[in-house]
Amino acid sequence: MNILIKLLGTGISLIAGFAGTKLVDTIWEKSTGNKPPKGQDDDVPTTLRSALTFALISASVSAIIQVLANRGTQRAVTRFAKTQDIV
């Protein structure tokens, strides 16, 4: 069951990461009026400043999501271990 909780934590982390990416992209587009600089579109000129700003924001959101997912998984593992001891 411990492996199942870890797999569930990984799945939640992936879904949260995808949602976080979409959230950052949407907020960036609404606040700047430009598409996020991802390096896929050669016809959209981006400055180094905007690219670095976007990278810092994306990395921060990603780190926060990773920490929260890891903490949630650890809490679930601990809670599951306690309930197994009681039964």
Side-chain angles (χ1 to χ4, degrees), residues 14-64:
L14 288 172
I15 292 169
F18 179 75
T21 300
K22 291 296 179 185
L23 179 69
V24 169
D25 289 351
T26 303
I27 291 173
W28 180 269
E29 195 166 338
K30 288 190 185 235
S31 65
T32 63
N34 300 327
K35 293 206 178 263
K38 294 195 174 191
Q40 298 169 347
D41 300 327
D42 293 333
D43 58 342
V44 179
T46 58
T47 63
L48 181 60
R49 183 178 185 176
S50 66
L52 288 176
T53 303
F54 182 76
L56 288 172
I57 292 169
S58 295
S60 299
V61 170
S62 175
I64 290 168

Side-chain angles (χ1 to χ4, degrees), residues 3-16 69-70 72-73 76:
I3 293 174
L4 180 64
I5 292 174
K6 289 183 180 182
L7 287 175
L8 184 63
T10 302
I12 290 171
S13 179
L14 288 172
I15 292 169
N70 286 341
T73 303

